[in-house]
Amino acid sequence: MNLEKALAGNRLVLLDESALIGMRLIGGEETTGFVSDMIDVFLTDALVCMQDMTCGHEAGDLRRIQGAANTLQLSAAHMGAETLAHVCEAIEEASRAGARGLCGEMLEACQEAYTRTEEALRDWS
Amino acid sequence: MISKVFEELVLTDCLPSPSGVGMQILQLTQGDDFSTAEIGMAISADSALTGRLLRLANSAESGSVEPITTVGEATIRLGIRTVRNVALGLSLISTNRQGACTAFDYDRYWSLSLGRAVAAQQLSRHLRIGVPAEMYILGLLADIGSLALASVHPESYAELLTFADYDGPEGLLREEESRFEINHIDVGVCMLAEWGLPPTFGEAARRFEGLDFAAQGTKLSSVEALIKAADIIARLCLGDSSKRTNAPSERAARYRTLRASCSLDNELFDRIADSIAKEWREWGQLLHIPTQAPFGFENLANGTEETSAEGVLNEKQSSNMEKAAQIQALKPVPGISGLHVLVVENNPAAAKLIEGHLAHVGHRVTVVTRGDDALRVVLEENPALVISSLETPGLDGLALCRAVRQISTGRKTYFLLLSDRTDEAADVQAFEAGVDDFLVQPFNPLVLVARLQAAVRCHATSVLLAAQENKLVKHNARLQILMRKLRSAALTDPLTGLPNRRYAMKRLGQAWETSVRSGRQMSVIMMDIDFFKQVNDRFGHQVGDVVLRETSIQLQEVCREEEDVCRMGGEEFLVICPGSGSEAAMACAERIRVAVEANVVRWKGVECSVTISLGVASREPSMTQDDDLIKAADDSVFIAKKSGRNKTVIAEINSPRRESA
């Protein structure tokens, strides 16, 4: 399933920059390094979550998929990565509903959302 | 004079005092009617104090096979008085780590005190002097007077330490006396007495700085020598050999002299000193007190010590100061920062985000990923605020909150739960578990910071209330102490320190009741100094007072512990002998008479001796009240006086009267 299909017509931005600006606003100028660190931590952890979801799917472990999707959804939301957060939420719901096949299909969309988000975040920082 | 000045210091309410739990323990132990369970409960309410107490109990009792795991066990092994003193001493550290006197080096003060405490404990165990845990507390509090002056007069004391031109320790004492009418040693001694610590503590504290010496061979002189040795080792650990110089050769010489003066093998002494340095560091970590990198004492003695430990401390302190200055410069929200916040979050990005925002506004943040680890941090470090995610491994957010609320200090901790659940049932569950606030994830960082401001306000109110409560507890404890003193004064003869007539009559009534109820014998010995008026007339009232004091000392030395020696007034004394029949009381009376007669009173060139006349009476079936007993003894004294004095007469109700001498 490609990303557009996964989004099911929801008009979401790839990256809500206000979240990142908010991080800067609270801390002031000197937190520029902090925001970059945040992006690094997020991207590193996101890879771990995606790996977890893939392994869970291969092993038929829906609880593992659900846990990893929930973690990534929250992290993505904190970072303003709306598209990625939306796809993760959908995967979480699918796994909770026991729809293993749907989960597998949406993992491809998740990978695509992650790649685009990563590019956007790297550009932003 | 000293006690008057000290009372004024007490009234300032600025003297170092133990924590709330410490004060509670102090209060509980003012009388004789406290139980082990009460002390145990009071100590257990402070988990950090409990942990430290158990650590000390185990290190002090290193010979034991089984480790001590509860306050109750510690009480049984160490004794309730020791546990009480240890709890009191340790709780002092937590409430007096820092202060307002800018020139007083609080880190160094506590570091040295801690080193002295550990050294005193270990030396006590190896040299078999005193109780190790008690010696630990004596070492810890031996210099408490310095901290007290810095607390009561922060500005003047800072000025004294910075600008006054005094010469050595004695010069410092003189300077303190000229400014505050009291020196730090006297303040310390008064404080130890005020807290009800054993008199040996005060005497050893008075002498450990080397300004006064106890008679050699006494228990006090051993304790004094122990604390002096502990002080030297602590200073060597800290990096100086005396208060003025830090030359390596002098450090080595001082250590070698100390080692030679102890009755231990050099190699063993080096091992003990190294062990002291190691334990000092461990305690330092536990109590957040700076210590030094270890160095071998054998190397020190041989003059091959590699680094100056003093340099390490200075470097560390200076680095801490720089860090503090940087943090200060970064604080953007004055007045609402500086709290210790525990973040429990297993999502790295969320944890980093929260940590970043909190640290930036000046809060000290600890991040853990597991709920069970969080509970450990709460127990050990008592953070002001806990921010926890709902789903954390080990213990979820709700279970963690419930557990925190079970801890006495945790009831005041502000608990903010983060959850991605938005249903009302989740809210209900969270508040039922005891959370103070609830934030739905993903949260807006601005909202998080705004919520934190509410948390900080709550915390500030809670701290204010706790301070007021602590103040009330302190006042209450002070009143209890005052009442104890008043009670004691009302029942004590000020000249001799013996119980007075009021006490004697009350005690006699109790002994009489017990004797009647149990059918056991009881006797009293009434006595009167012969020709006392002539002593006063010939040598003056001052000599008369010395005679009364010395006679009272003779009485106390001769009598057994269960016998009560009282001054009835003037030159008249009474001894109440529960359980003694006429024969035993007569023997006791004779011992008293002989001892008083043999004693020569010397005072300012005057020498004199006195004799006493004694009357012994035992309870007889024909007697109906305790007054009958006193009257019979009084009558016997009268007969002894009439028949030549310096003799004992026993009142015989149903048989011929007997006389001695």
Side-chain angles (χ1 to χ4, degrees):
Chain A
M1 187 188 291
N2 66 21
L3 184 56
E4 275 64 37
K5 193 177 173 191
L7 291 174
N10 280 301
R11 297 180 66 182
L12 297 168
V13 291
L14 187 65
L15 188 61
D16 175 6
E17 293 188 8
S18 67
L20 299 168
I21 293 167
M23 286 180 205
R24 276 195 177 159
L25 279 178
I26 287 175
E29 284 305 312
E30 62 270 23
T31 52
T32 312
F34 169 66
V35 178
S36 302
D37 286 349
M38 275 296 306
I39 291 171
D40 288 341
V41 168
F42 165 70
L43 292 174
T44 307
D45 186 52
L47 279 178
V48 174
C49 290
M50 301 234 300
Q51 180 81 22
D52 229 13
M53 283 192 275
T54 307
C55 291
H57 179 250
E58 284 167 4
D61 186 347
L62 289 171
R63 283 188 69 82
R64 189 171 174 184
I65 300 173
Q66 189 186 328
N70 177 267
T71 303
L72 186 52
Q73 185 261 325
L74 283 176
S75 303
H78 281 307
M79 300 302 294
E82 283 190 5
T83 307
L84 182 59
H86 179 83
V87 176
C88 288
E89 195 176 354
I91 294 175
E92 190 188 349
E93 279 173 18
S95 57
R96 192 178 289 125
R100 187 184 165 196
L102 184 59
C103 285
E105 287 173 24
M106 280 196 294
L107 277 175
E108 290 169 27
C110 187
Q111 181 62 53
E112 191 181 341
Y114 171 77
T115 308
R116 289 197 206 171
T117 304
E118 183 187 13
E119 281 169 15
L121 283 170
R122 296 279 183 221
D123 287 347
W124 199 85
S125 65
Chain B
M1 177 65 182
I2 287 172
S3 62
K4 187 170 174 282
V5 177
F6 179 70
E7 286 300 328
E8 284 168 11
L9 294 185
V10 171
L11 289 174
T12 63
D13 212 18
C14 296
L15 282 175
S17 61
S19 65
V21 169
M23 289 305 287
Q24 200 185 342
I25 293 164
L26 193 63
Q27 247 180 299
L28 272 174
T29 52
Q30 284 306 313
D32 292 326
D33 54 346
F34 59 89
S35 68
T36 308
E38 282 175 319
I39 296 284
M41 270 175 69
I43 294 171
S44 302
D46 186 333
S47 49
L49 179 62
T50 305
R52 290 163 189 175
L53 173 76
L54 293 180
R55 190 189 193 290
L56 178 61
N58 280 311
S59 65
E61 291 278 293
S62 64
S64 307
V65 180
E66 292 293 325
I68 299 172
T69 54
T70 64
V71 175
E73 278 178 62
T75 311
I76 292 165
R77 297 247 195 114
L78 300 179
I80 196 161
R81 289 279 168 195
T82 301
V83 167
R84 173 248 195 218
N85 294 343
V86 168
L88 197 65
L90 291 178
S91 81
L92 264 170
I93 299 179
S94 58
T95 45
N96 298 279
R97 265 294 277 119
Q98 295 298 333
C101 183
T102 49
F104 190 84
D105 190 339
Y106 292 89
D107 277 347
R108 185 184 168 78
Y109 170 83
W110 281 116
S111 191
L112 183 59
S113 299
L114 184 63
R116 200 187 302 119
V118 172
Q121 181 203 312
Q122 289 215 19
L123 291 177
S124 161
R125 199 164 58 226
H126 288 284
L127 299 171
R128 299 187 184 283
I129 297 173
V131 180
E134 292 269 353
M135 291 302 108
Y136 180 100
I137 296 305
L138 174 55
L140 189 69
L141 303 180
D143 191 28
I144 191 75
S146 300
L147 181 70
L149 285 183
S151 305
V152 178
H153 304 290
E155 286 167 12
S156 312
Y157 206 58
E159 193 191 317
L160 185 157
L161 293 176
T162 312
F163 301 112
D165 185 21
Y166 59 86
D167 187 21
E170 290 182 39
L172 174 63
L173 295 179
R174 278 195 299 274
E175 195 67 37
E176 286 171 349
E177 281 162 14
S178 77
R179 288 177 189 236
F180 313 121
E181 297 179 54
I182 193 166
N183 64 48
H184 70 266
I185 294 179
D186 286 331
V187 174
V189 172
C190 290
M191 288 176 75
L192 297 177
E194 178 98 350
W195 291 332
L197 292 166
T200 337
F201 274 41
E203 291 307 312
R206 183 182 293 288
R207 293 179 172 114
F208 95 97
E209 289 195 28
L211 303 173
D212 192 4
F213 293 94
Q216 293 301 308
T218 63
K219 184 185 166 195
L220 179 58
S221 69
S222 306
V223 172
E224 176 200 326
L226 179 93
I227 293 299
K228 277 184 180 174
D231 189 61
I232 292 169
I233 293 180
R235 286 180 188 281
L236 290 170
C237 284
L238 196 60
D240 67 337
S241 57
S242 73
K243 287 180 178 172
R244 289 189 229 172
T245 174
N246 190 30
S249 58
E250 195 194 320
R251 288 162 44 76
R254 197 155 171 83
Y255 178 63
R256 282 196 298 267
T257 309
L258 172 69
R259 195 173 63 175
S261 69
C262 283
S263 55
L264 296 171
D265 170 65
N266 280 358
E267 204 178 310
L268 173 62
F269 196 85
D270 289 342
R271 278 207 305 273
I272 295 169
D274 285 338
S275 163
I276 288 168
K278 182 170 172 275
E279 199 178 341
W280 174 53
R281 283 173 60 78
E282 289 168 4
W283 271 104
Q285 282 170 357
L286 189 72
L287 299 169
H288 308 294
I289 292 173
T291 53
Q292 304 293 342
F295 59 91
F297 271 87
E298 191 185 349
N299 294 338
L300 173 67
N302 298 336
T304 52
E305 184 190 5
E306 283 177 4
T307 56
S308 160
E310 181 74 16
V312 179
L313 180 67
N314 287 341
E315 200 177 297
K316 185 176 184 303
Q317 282 174 335
S318 119
S319 144
N320 283 342
M321 281 172 70
E322 277 173 27
K323 208 179 282 173
Q326 286 164 1
I327 291 169
Q328 189 70 29
L330 280 172
K331 278 180 186 172
V333 192
I336 67 152
S337 50
L339 300 185
H340 179 200
V341 184
L342 171 64
V343 176
V344 196
E345 176 60 85
N346 64 335
N347 179 330
K352 173 92 182 153
L353 184 67
I354 299 168
E355 182 188 9
H357 287 300
L358 293 175
H360 183 73
V361 292
H363 297 304
R364 186 162 64 87
V365 187
T366 303
V367 180
V368 294
T369 54
R370 296 179 59 86
D372 43 7
D373 287 343
L375 188 58
R376 187 178 46 74
V377 175
V378 171
L379 279 164
E380 288 175 2
E381 300 179 24
N382 187 26
L385 170 62
V386 175
I387 299 177
S388 174
S389 178
L390 178 63
E391 286 174 18
T392 47
L395 202 61
D396 70 35
L398 293 177
L400 172 65
C401 185
R402 284 191 206 100
V404 167
R405 295 302 185 223
Q406 294 298 313
I407 306 164
S408 64
T409 48
R411 287 182 203 124
K412 290 176 188 163
T413 308
Y414 195 90
F415 202 106
L416 174 59
L417 188 75
L418 305 174
S419 169
D420 54 346
R421 285 179 61 184
T422 52
D423 53 307
E424 286 173 348
D427 285 14
V428 173
Q429 260 189 329
F431 285 106
E432 275 180 354
V435 305
D436 294 295
D437 200 2
F438 187 90
L439 193 57
V440 177
Q441 296 212 69
F443 52 80
N444 179 335
L446 286 166
V447 175
L448 172 69
V449 172
R451 295 278 176 106
L452 279 176
Q453 290 183 17
V456 171
R457 268 197 303 278
C458 275
H459 178 73
T461 311
S462 152
V463 167
L464 192 69
L465 283 173
Q468 285 173 348
E469 188 185 333
N470 197 26
K471 214 170 175 179
L472 282 174
V473 171
K474 273 187 196 173
H475 278 300
N476 196 11
R478 200 155 290 140
L479 276 175
Q480 300 271 358
I481 292 167
L482 202 62
M483 279 176 68
R484 183 196 58 177
K485 283 182 179 172
L486 283 172
R487 268 200 303 271
S488 169
L491 299 172
T492 306
D493 168 46
L495 178 68
T496 60
L498 289 178
N500 61 14
R501 184 183 192 92
R502 188 180 291 123
Y503 174 87
M505 298 319 288
K506 191 176 163 190
R507 179 74 192 99
L508 179 70
Q510 289 169 348
W512 176 270
E513 290 294 329
T514 308
S515 174
V516 170
R517 203 169 47 245
S518 65
R520 290 181 68 209
Q521 298 168 310
M522 79 162 287
S523 302
V524 295
I525 307 167
M526 187 69 90
M527 68 205 82
D528 195 279
I529 300 174
D530 298 330
F531 301 115
F532 185 68
K533 187 172 179 305
Q534 288 179 18
V535 174
N536 274 336
D537 292 346
R538 188 172 166 203
F539 302 112
H541 286 281
Q542 283 182 314
V543 175
D545 286 350
V546 176
V547 167
L548 287 169
R549 274 201 293 269
E550 292 222 359
T551 303
S552 70
I553 291 167
Q554 297 296 323
L555 289 174
Q556 284 171 296
E557 282 182 1
V558 169
C559 290
R560 291 178 301 169
E561 210 165 288
E562 60 270 27
E563 291 165 343
D564 289 284
V565 181
C566 312
R567 184 182 174 204
M568 299 297 276
E571 66 270 33
E572 199 179 37
F573 297 88
L574 173 74
V575 179
I576 301 166
C577 314
S580 293
S582 56
E583 291 299 323
M586 182 74 179
C588 175
E590 269 302 285
R591 283 198 305 274
I592 294 171
R593 190 186 62 75
V594 170
V596 172
E597 186 181 17
N599 183 47
V600 179
V601 178
R602 293 184 179 85
W603 191 79
K604 290 190 176 176
V606 174
E607 276 194 17
C608 71
S609 55
V610 293
T611 59
I612 49 173
S613 299
L614 306 95
V616 177
S618 301
R619 186 175 71 82
E620 298 287 345
S622 59
M623 294 176 175
T624 57
Q625 52 184 350
D626 51 3
D627 278 353
D628 297 341
L629 196 58
I630 291 289
K631 187 171 182 316
D634 256 340
D635 290 347
S636 297
V637 174
F638 182 74
I639 293 166
K641 292 268 185 193
K642 282 283 177 196
S643 57
R645 294 184 170 85
N646 190 22
K647 61 176 63 178
T648 306
V649 172
I650 185 161
E652 297 283 3
I653 305 296
N654 300 318
S655 57
R657 192 179 303 281
R658 276 190 290 152
E659 289 181 14
S660 74

